[in-house]
Amino acid sequence: MRIPFASLAYLAVAAGFSIQHDLSFAAIVISEPLQVSAGITRSSGSVTERASEARATRAYDAALHTGPLAVQAFLSTFPKGADLHFHLGAGVYAETLLRVAGEDKLCIDPGKAEFARTEQGEAIKEPCAAPLVPARDLSGNITQAQQDLYDRLINSFSMRNYVSTPGYSGHDQFFSTFSRFGMLDKRHTGEWLDEITRRAAAQNQQYLELLQTPPFGHAARAAHEIGWNSDFVQMRQALLNHGLKDEIAADREEAKGALEARNRIQHCGTPEASDACKVQVRFVYQVLRAFSPEQVFAQTLLGFETVEQSIEQNSDDWVGINFVQPEDYMVAMRDYTLQMKMIGYLHSLYPKVHISLHAGELAPGMVPPEGLRFHIRHAVELAHAERIGHGVDVMYEDDAAQLLKELAAKHVMIEINLSSNEGILGIKGVEHPFPYYRAAHVPVALSTDDQGVSRIDLTHEYVRAALDYRLSYRDLKQLARTGMEHNFLPGESLWSAPDNFASPAAACGGQVVGGPKPSAACKSLLDGSEKAAAQWELERRFREFEAKF
């Protein structure tokens, strides 16, 4: 399907381009037929399947006509596949954090509306000296004053009720929340997994890739002892000689321990197993990029070593690596290209380690104009990123049209986080590049970023995308399929070509995708590929969902 030129011009104008710029953009980007949704050209599937999809489409269109609440109800159980950009520490709701703080006997600083801590950053526990108060006081029957404190803490730990002021932006509030609750004991991570997987299961979501920062204190100390060396080969060897690999066991044990705790809580593998057990979880290793070059290199190396070991052992913990902390921080901006080169070098030594990078999480005015011109490109060309988180400033990059074509040609997926982009950057609606990515064939999928801080879930993001961009039912299926296509699970894809959901791989050709009885050849593919099996499950869920209409 080709988008009519007049329609593209309208799309470009809606996104804020001048007509003169629109024409050149249109000529470059729409140079090939655009399949806006895989369902438009899809030829596979029985007459019954196509009829079911048509009924679901009519139900969805009726919901759009009725209003936002009807869309919410329709999409609440729509199969959403994966959430590939989800920070575990900020994905838990503040109410849960306060309950756990009470159980751990933490103190609260009412003046700052946060958990009290020492100058070294450690949590202060009972007895709580005035003006500090015990967190456990905010449970059971409470006074109005305690309710007021409870409400202030919820607001302090999230974006709830937040209104930007001239001296304190949404960006400031968002990133300040983490330090207010971040000292909670990581022994609760299994409980966090229980909460978020139950929420995922309730909205028909099947896979999560969770960003988490494991222990790296030993690596950081070794880096500071060695000092910075711009020769990556020598720097890496010096760190390995200082026992950097000794920390891998702790990193992997933390993830495995959390998964085991979640399984115990949910009774996975027993007759009493929760439906949440069906939600697959993997971890993406977070590197903190706002520190010195030697520390960033050491943590990145530790991350590559940890993830590679997990992949080689076919384990179910770490699958990829990412860089976090605000992209506009001084060190993150100053060292951005250097850090991308670090990743590129380590990628050449650890090619099995998957890479997704926060890049382009910037808006005009946050940094000088030149700071908007290259971050996404360097993440892809220097660091070999397979996915880009946010990518909001893409149209401000040098030769944006060519960059979009490159992203499409390399099948680099963009993790679209609509709510956090508005909360942090003030970017929403026609100011967001989401329509441009889609128009340029760049694969995109919706994700939540920080569910607890933003007070959302993945259904909320689907509803928002549907309403803000008037997406069709098939567009929504495309988003879900794209997320499952670009997850970091091992194995071959179910589909015959990247991001083409019109026909399955040869082994599964000529049959109902997602059906109950795959052929022997297809079953062999599914048994040997976690990715293909997960994609097959998504198709099964689509069949089940559409059969209701």
PDB file of all heavy atoms in Angstrom, residues 21 58 83 109 148 152 176 213 251 269 287 304 321 326 346 392 410 430 457 497 534 536 546-547:
ATOM      1  N   HIS A  21       9.739  21.585   3.470  1.00  0.00           N
ATOM      2  CA  HIS A  21      10.484  20.453   4.020  1.00  0.00           C
ATOM      3  C   HIS A  21       9.706  19.173   3.799  1.00  0.00           C
ATOM      4  O   HIS A  21      10.275  18.131   3.504  1.00  0.00           O
ATOM      5  CB  HIS A  21      10.723  20.684   5.504  1.00  0.00           C
ATOM      6  CG  HIS A  21      11.697  19.712   6.115  1.00  0.00           C
ATOM      7  ND1 HIS A  21      12.347  20.000   7.283  1.00  0.00           N
ATOM      8  CD2 HIS A  21      12.132  18.484   5.730  1.00  0.00           C
ATOM      9  CE1 HIS A  21      13.146  18.988   7.599  1.00  0.00           C
ATOM     10  NE2 HIS A  21      13.008  18.050   6.664  1.00  0.00           N
ATOM     11  N   ARG A  58     -14.444  -4.375  13.583  1.00  0.00           N
ATOM     12  CA  ARG A  58     -15.687  -3.617  13.703  1.00  0.00           C
ATOM     13  C   ARG A  58     -15.961  -3.238  15.165  1.00  0.00           C
ATOM     14  O   ARG A  58     -16.408  -2.123  15.463  1.00  0.00           O
ATOM     15  CB  ARG A  58     -16.851  -4.426  13.126  1.00  0.00           C
ATOM     16  CG  ARG A  58     -16.834  -4.524  11.607  1.00  0.00           C
ATOM     17  CD  ARG A  58     -18.150  -5.034  11.070  1.00  0.00           C
ATOM     18  NE  ARG A  58     -18.411  -6.415  11.448  1.00  0.00           N
ATOM     19  CZ  ARG A  58     -18.004  -7.478  10.744  1.00  0.00           C
ATOM     20  NH1 ARG A  58     -17.302  -7.301   9.624  1.00  0.00           N
ATOM     21  NH2 ARG A  58     -18.295  -8.705  11.140  1.00  0.00           N
ATOM     22  N   ASP A  83       6.610  -5.961  26.650  1.00  0.00           N
ATOM     23  CA  ASP A  83       7.030  -4.625  27.073  1.00  0.00           C
ATOM     24  C   ASP A  83       8.544  -4.703  27.172  1.00  0.00           C
ATOM     25  O   ASP A  83       9.093  -5.334  28.075  1.00  0.00           O
ATOM     26  CB  ASP A  83       6.408  -4.253  28.417  1.00  0.00           C
ATOM     27  CG  ASP A  83       6.655  -2.786  28.800  1.00  0.00           C
ATOM     28  OD1 ASP A  83       7.589  -2.182  28.242  1.00  0.00           O
ATOM     29  OD2 ASP A  83       5.924  -2.261  29.656  1.00  0.00           O
ATOM     30  N   ASP A 109      11.075  10.858  56.297  1.00  0.00           N
ATOM     31  CA  ASP A 109      11.345  12.266  56.555  1.00  0.00           C
ATOM     32  C   ASP A 109      10.148  13.060  56.035  1.00  0.00           C
ATOM     33  O   ASP A 109      10.024  13.267  54.818  1.00  0.00           O
ATOM     34  CB  ASP A 109      12.622  12.694  55.828  1.00  0.00           C
ATOM     35  CG  ASP A 109      13.033  14.120  56.145  1.00  0.00           C
ATOM     36  OD1 ASP A 109      12.140  14.929  56.477  1.00  0.00           O
ATOM     37  OD2 ASP A 109      14.235  14.429  56.040  1.00  0.00           O
ATOM     38  N   ASP A 148      -2.612  12.558  55.028  1.00  0.00           N
ATOM     39  CA  ASP A 148      -2.022  13.649  54.245  1.00  0.00           C
ATOM     40  C   ASP A 148      -0.557  13.338  53.914  1.00  0.00           C
ATOM     41  O   ASP A 148      -0.103  13.585  52.787  1.00  0.00           O
ATOM     42  CB  ASP A 148      -2.107  14.967  55.016  1.00  0.00           C
ATOM     43  CG  ASP A 148      -3.542  15.464  55.150  1.00  0.00           C
ATOM     44  OD1 ASP A 148      -4.413  14.979  54.395  1.00  0.00           O
ATOM     45  OD2 ASP A 148      -3.788  16.323  56.021  1.00  0.00           O
ATOM     46  N   ARG A 152       1.147  12.739  50.228  1.00  0.00           N
ATOM     47  CA  ARG A 152       2.329  13.495  49.778  1.00  0.00           C
ATOM     48  C   ARG A 152       3.445  12.558  49.335  1.00  0.00           C
ATOM     49  O   ARG A 152       4.181  12.846  48.384  1.00  0.00           O
ATOM     50  CB  ARG A 152       2.836  14.422  50.892  1.00  0.00           C
ATOM     51  CG  ARG A 152       1.941  15.633  51.137  1.00  0.00           C
ATOM     52  CD  ARG A 152       2.679  16.744  51.875  1.00  0.00           C
ATOM     53  NE  ARG A 152       3.100  16.358  53.202  1.00  0.00           N
ATOM     54  CZ  ARG A 152       4.373  16.276  53.602  1.00  0.00           C
ATOM     55  NH1 ARG A 152       5.362  16.535  52.754  1.00  0.00           N
ATOM     56  NH2 ARG A 152       4.667  15.933  54.845  1.00  0.00           N
ATOM     57  N   SER A 176      13.922  12.771  40.032  1.00  0.00           N
ATOM     58  CA  SER A 176      14.131  12.923  41.472  1.00  0.00           C
ATOM     59  C   SER A 176      13.442  11.828  42.275  1.00  0.00           C
ATOM     60  O   SER A 176      13.821  11.559  43.421  1.00  0.00           O
ATOM     61  CB  SER A 176      13.616  14.292  41.938  1.00  0.00           C
ATOM     62  OG  SER A 176      14.385  15.340  41.384  1.00  0.00           O
ATOM     63  N   THR A 213      19.969  -2.658  37.418  1.00  0.00           N
ATOM     64  CA  THR A 213      21.396  -2.431  37.672  1.00  0.00           C
ATOM     65  C   THR A 213      21.856  -3.373  38.774  1.00  0.00           C
ATOM     66  O   THR A 213      21.503  -3.184  39.942  1.00  0.00           O
ATOM     67  CB  THR A 213      21.667  -0.980  38.111  1.00  0.00           C
ATOM     68  OG1 THR A 213      21.167  -0.088  37.118  1.00  0.00           O
ATOM     69  CG2 THR A 213      23.161  -0.748  38.293  1.00  0.00           C
ATOM     70  N   ASP A 251      26.128 -10.790  40.200  1.00  0.00           N
ATOM     71  CA  ASP A 251      25.158 -10.193  39.281  1.00  0.00           C
ATOM     72  C   ASP A 251      24.125 -11.219  38.835  1.00  0.00           C
ATOM     73  O   ASP A 251      22.919 -10.948  38.786  1.00  0.00           O
ATOM     74  CB  ASP A 251      25.879  -9.619  38.061  1.00  0.00           C
ATOM     75  CG  ASP A 251      26.695  -8.385  38.395  1.00  0.00           C
ATOM     76  OD1 ASP A 251      26.686  -7.971  39.571  1.00  0.00           O
ATOM     77  OD2 ASP A 251      27.351  -7.841  37.491  1.00  0.00           O
ATOM     78  N   GLY A 269       4.805 -23.914  38.563  1.00  0.00           N
ATOM     79  CA  GLY A 269       5.180 -25.316  38.459  1.00  0.00           C
ATOM     80  C   GLY A 269       4.368 -26.240  39.341  1.00  0.00           C
ATOM     81  O   GLY A 269       4.678 -27.423  39.451  1.00  0.00           O
ATOM     82  N   VAL A 287      23.738   0.109  32.616  1.00  0.00           N
ATOM     83  CA  VAL A 287      25.007   0.769  32.906  1.00  0.00           C
ATOM     84  C   VAL A 287      24.716   2.242  33.187  1.00  0.00           C
ATOM     85  O   VAL A 287      23.971   2.888  32.450  1.00  0.00           O
ATOM     86  CB  VAL A 287      25.978   0.636  31.719  1.00  0.00           C
ATOM     87  CG1 VAL A 287      27.238   1.471  31.956  1.00  0.00           C
ATOM     88  CG2 VAL A 287      26.341  -0.825  31.486  1.00  0.00           C
ATOM     89  N   PHE A 304      28.803  -6.820  29.716  1.00  0.00           N
ATOM     90  CA  PHE A 304      29.001  -7.705  28.568  1.00  0.00           C
ATOM     91  C   PHE A 304      29.433  -9.098  29.018  1.00  0.00           C
ATOM     92  O   PHE A 304      28.952 -10.110  28.494  1.00  0.00           O
ATOM     93  CB  PHE A 304      30.037  -7.106  27.615  1.00  0.00           C
ATOM     94  CG  PHE A 304      29.464  -6.201  26.571  1.00  0.00           C
ATOM     95  CD1 PHE A 304      29.347  -4.835  26.785  1.00  0.00           C
ATOM     96  CD2 PHE A 304      29.038  -6.709  25.350  1.00  0.00           C
ATOM     97  CE1 PHE A 304      28.817  -3.991  25.817  1.00  0.00           C
ATOM     98  CE2 PHE A 304      28.507  -5.891  24.365  1.00  0.00           C
ATOM     99  CZ  PHE A 304      28.390  -4.517  24.604  1.00  0.00           C
ATOM    100  N   ILE A 321      22.118  -5.416  27.117  1.00  0.00           N
ATOM    101  CA  ILE A 321      22.738  -4.324  27.863  1.00  0.00           C
ATOM    102  C   ILE A 321      22.152  -2.999  27.412  1.00  0.00           C
ATOM    103  O   ILE A 321      21.700  -2.861  26.258  1.00  0.00           O
ATOM    104  CB  ILE A 321      24.272  -4.344  27.663  1.00  0.00           C
ATOM    105  CG1 ILE A 321      24.979  -3.483  28.713  1.00  0.00           C
ATOM    106  CG2 ILE A 321      24.667  -3.939  26.261  1.00  0.00           C
ATOM    107  CD1 ILE A 321      26.467  -3.746  28.806  1.00  0.00           C
ATOM    108  N   PRO A 326      19.787  10.245  32.922  1.00  0.00           N
ATOM    109  CA  PRO A 326      19.335  11.259  31.963  1.00  0.00           C
ATOM    110  C   PRO A 326      20.378  11.561  30.890  1.00  0.00           C
ATOM    111  O   PRO A 326      21.551  11.803  31.180  1.00  0.00           O
ATOM    112  CB  PRO A 326      19.065  12.477  32.849  1.00  0.00           C
ATOM    113  CG  PRO A 326      18.698  11.895  34.169  1.00  0.00           C
ATOM    114  CD  PRO A 326      19.577  10.688  34.320  1.00  0.00           C
ATOM    115  N   LEU A 346      33.374  -3.276  22.597  1.00  0.00           N
ATOM    116  CA  LEU A 346      33.015  -4.488  23.339  1.00  0.00           C
ATOM    117  C   LEU A 346      32.073  -5.372  22.530  1.00  0.00           C
ATOM    118  O   LEU A 346      32.124  -6.598  22.632  1.00  0.00           O
ATOM    119  CB  LEU A 346      32.391  -4.106  24.679  1.00  0.00           C
ATOM    120  CG  LEU A 346      33.376  -3.440  25.656  1.00  0.00           C
ATOM    121  CD1 LEU A 346      32.652  -2.907  26.887  1.00  0.00           C
ATOM    122  CD2 LEU A 346      34.479  -4.405  26.066  1.00  0.00           C
ATOM    123  N   VAL A 392      13.219  10.332  20.595  1.00  0.00           N
ATOM    124  CA  VAL A 392      12.285  11.438  20.410  1.00  0.00           C
ATOM    125  C   VAL A 392      12.849  12.547  19.530  1.00  0.00           C
ATOM    126  O   VAL A 392      12.108  13.237  18.824  1.00  0.00           O
ATOM    127  CB  VAL A 392      11.853  11.998  21.785  1.00  0.00           C
ATOM    128  CG1 VAL A 392      10.979  13.228  21.633  1.00  0.00           C
ATOM    129  CG2 VAL A 392      11.103  10.931  22.571  1.00  0.00           C
ATOM    130  N   LYS A 410      18.074  -1.354   8.547  1.00  0.00           N
ATOM    131  CA  LYS A 410      18.742  -2.210   9.537  1.00  0.00           C
ATOM    132  C   LYS A 410      17.758  -2.853  10.515  1.00  0.00           C
ATOM    133  O   LYS A 410      18.174  -3.622  11.386  1.00  0.00           O
ATOM    134  CB  LYS A 410      19.766  -1.381  10.320  1.00  0.00           C
ATOM    135  CG  LYS A 410      20.962  -0.932   9.496  1.00  0.00           C
ATOM    136  CD  LYS A 410      21.948  -0.121  10.341  1.00  0.00           C
ATOM    137  CE  LYS A 410      23.191   0.258   9.543  1.00  0.00           C
ATOM    138  NZ  LYS A 410      24.165   1.061  10.350  1.00  0.00           N
ATOM    139  N   VAL A 430       1.171  15.562  18.078  1.00  0.00           N
ATOM    140  CA  VAL A 430       1.827  15.811  16.795  1.00  0.00           C
ATOM    141  C   VAL A 430       3.292  16.186  16.945  1.00  0.00           C
ATOM    142  O   VAL A 430       4.032  16.207  15.954  1.00  0.00           O
ATOM    143  CB  VAL A 430       1.089  16.926  16.013  1.00  0.00           C
ATOM    144  CG1 VAL A 430      -0.321  16.499  15.658  1.00  0.00           C
ATOM    145  CG2 VAL A 430       1.065  18.230  16.819  1.00  0.00           C
ATOM    146  N   ASP A 457      -0.044   1.564  32.878  1.00  0.00           N
ATOM    147  CA  ASP A 457       0.296   0.207  32.489  1.00  0.00           C
ATOM    148  C   ASP A 457       0.352   0.165  30.972  1.00  0.00           C
ATOM    149  O   ASP A 457       0.147   1.194  30.303  1.00  0.00           O
ATOM    150  CB  ASP A 457      -0.696  -0.820  33.066  1.00  0.00           C
ATOM    151  CG  ASP A 457      -2.138  -0.559  32.634  1.00  0.00           C
ATOM    152  OD1 ASP A 457      -2.355   0.192  31.648  1.00  0.00           O
ATOM    153  OD2 ASP A 457      -3.053  -1.110  33.265  1.00  0.00           O
ATOM    154  N   ALA A 497      10.633 -13.275   7.048  1.00  0.00           N
ATOM    155  CA  ALA A 497      11.508 -12.122   6.809  1.00  0.00           C
ATOM    156  C   ALA A 497      11.311 -11.125   7.948  1.00  0.00           C
ATOM    157  O   ALA A 497      10.232 -11.048   8.540  1.00  0.00           O
ATOM    158  CB  ALA A 497      11.187 -11.471   5.467  1.00  0.00           C
ATOM    159  N   ALA A 534       7.324 -17.937  21.446  1.00  0.00           N
ATOM    160  CA  ALA A 534       6.615 -16.795  22.024  1.00  0.00           C
ATOM    161  C   ALA A 534       5.765 -16.098  20.966  1.00  0.00           C
ATOM    162  O   ALA A 534       4.644 -15.643  21.245  1.00  0.00           O
ATOM    163  CB  ALA A 534       7.611 -15.814  22.638  1.00  0.00           C
ATOM    164  N   TRP A 536       4.442 -17.553  18.324  1.00  0.00           N
ATOM    165  CA  TRP A 536       3.325 -18.460  18.080  1.00  0.00           C
ATOM    166  C   TRP A 536       2.247 -18.276  19.153  1.00  0.00           C
ATOM    167  O   TRP A 536       1.056 -18.251  18.863  1.00  0.00           O
ATOM    168  CB  TRP A 536       3.819 -19.906  18.061  1.00  0.00           C
ATOM    169  CG  TRP A 536       2.781 -20.927  17.682  1.00  0.00           C
ATOM    170  CD1 TRP A 536       1.881 -21.537  18.503  1.00  0.00           C
ATOM    171  CD2 TRP A 536       2.550 -21.450  16.371  1.00  0.00           C
ATOM    172  NE1 TRP A 536       1.099 -22.408  17.793  1.00  0.00           N
ATOM    173  CE2 TRP A 536       1.481 -22.385  16.485  1.00  0.00           C
ATOM    174  CE3 TRP A 536       3.135 -21.236  15.123  1.00  0.00           C
ATOM    175  CZ2 TRP A 536       0.999 -23.100  15.388  1.00  0.00           C
ATOM    176  CZ3 TRP A 536       2.651 -21.944  14.028  1.00  0.00           C
ATOM    177  CH2 TRP A 536       1.610 -22.858  14.164  1.00  0.00           C
ATOM    178  N   GLU A 546      -9.969 -12.697  19.196  1.00  0.00           N
ATOM    179  CA  GLU A 546     -10.874 -12.341  18.100  1.00  0.00           C
ATOM    180  C   GLU A 546     -12.076 -13.268  18.010  1.00  0.00           C
ATOM    181  O   GLU A 546     -13.122 -12.878  17.464  1.00  0.00           O
ATOM    182  CB  GLU A 546     -10.089 -12.329  16.788  1.00  0.00           C
ATOM    183  CG  GLU A 546      -9.075 -11.194  16.730  1.00  0.00           C
ATOM    184  CD  GLU A 546      -8.067 -11.303  15.613  1.00  0.00           C
ATOM    185  OE1 GLU A 546      -8.122 -12.311  14.858  1.00  0.00           O
ATOM    186  OE2 GLU A 546      -7.211 -10.399  15.484  1.00  0.00           O
ATOM    187  N   ALA A 547     -11.947 -14.459  18.541  1.00  0.00           N
ATOM    188  CA  ALA A 547     -13.071 -15.405  18.513  1.00  0.00           C
ATOM    189  C   ALA A 547     -14.229 -14.944  19.393  1.00  0.00           C
ATOM    190  O   ALA A 547     -15.349 -15.456  19.269  1.00  0.00           O
ATOM    191  CB  ALA A 547     -12.600 -16.792  18.956  1.00  0.00           C
TER     192      ALA A 547
END
